[in-house]
Amino acid sequence: EISGGIIKRFTDYYAVALYITYAIARTISGYIAGISSRSLDPIYILAIGFFTFTCATFSMLLDITVPAFGFPLFLLFGISNIVITTMELAIIPHLLAETLRDAGYGILYVCRGFGMLISSWTIGWIWSTYSAYAAFMYICTLSVLSIGVLI
């Protein structure tokens, strides 16, 4: 029972450390992405976010059992998450006239929410019908296609 307690404490601390890694990567990357969008085209920065997400998702397909592998993985997911979120918001002023921007932000959030609903259902169906590997391959494929559309 003592060893089980030690393992539980390790996994609790490990999970917290992974989340801290994710949060720090997200915070720093959000600032860098926001500043970069002033001088670079936000669409290209968004493509970088999708590329980072693709790398993180692809790495989930690797058969690596080393616990330390979680840190670069959470780092990549933290970077990709905030870069994509920040650039989606930064692109709206470039695409819409000033009179339509409020509606543009609303439509973005509706599309994002509806997209999450559909994608969660689809990934869950692929995962339970086929395998986790097939679900991650599907995600990687869509991410690569997204990069192609943006560039």
Side-chain angles (χ1 to χ4, degrees), residues 6-150:
I6 292 170
I7 291 171
K8 178 164 179 7
R9 276 194 301 257
F10 171 76
T11 55
D12 289 346
Y13 291 133
Y14 180 69
V16 170
L18 287 176
Y19 184 75
I20 290 170
T21 301
Y22 173 84
I24 290 172
R26 197 178 141 90
T27 302
I28 294 170
S29 302
Y31 180 76
I32 293 170
I35 295 296
S36 299
S37 69
R38 292 181 183 170
S39 59
L40 300 172
D41 188 350
I43 291 178
Y44 291 122
I45 300 172
L46 182 61
I48 291 169
F50 278 114
F51 177 75
T52 308
F53 177 78
T54 303
C55 291
T57 306
F58 181 74
S59 66
M60 295 286 287
L61 297 171
L62 303 174
D63 189 23
I64 299 175
T65 58
V66 178
F69 180 67
F71 289 102
L73 187 63
F74 272 66
L75 183 75
L76 288 173
F77 275 119
I79 292 168
S80 67
N81 182 282
I82 195 63
V83 169
I84 291 169
T85 303
T86 302
M87 289 304 106
E88 284 175 342
L89 297 174
I91 288 171
I92 287 179
H94 294 284
L95 298 177
L96 298 175
E98 190 172 334
T99 56
L100 298 174
R101 286 186 189 155
D102 294 339
Y105 286 111
I107 291 169
L108 170 67
Y109 283 107
V110 167
C111 291
R112 189 185 286 168
F114 187 68
M116 286 183 189
L117 174 68
I118 298 298
S119 66
S120 295
W121 181 86
T122 304
I123 297 302
W125 178 79
I126 292 171
W127 189 305
S128 62
T129 305
Y130 298 102
S131 67
Y133 186 85
F136 281 108
M137 282 303 295
Y138 176 77
I139 294 168
C140 287
T141 303
L142 289 181
S143 188
V144 168
L145 291 173
S146 298
I147 295 167
V149 168
L150 287 172

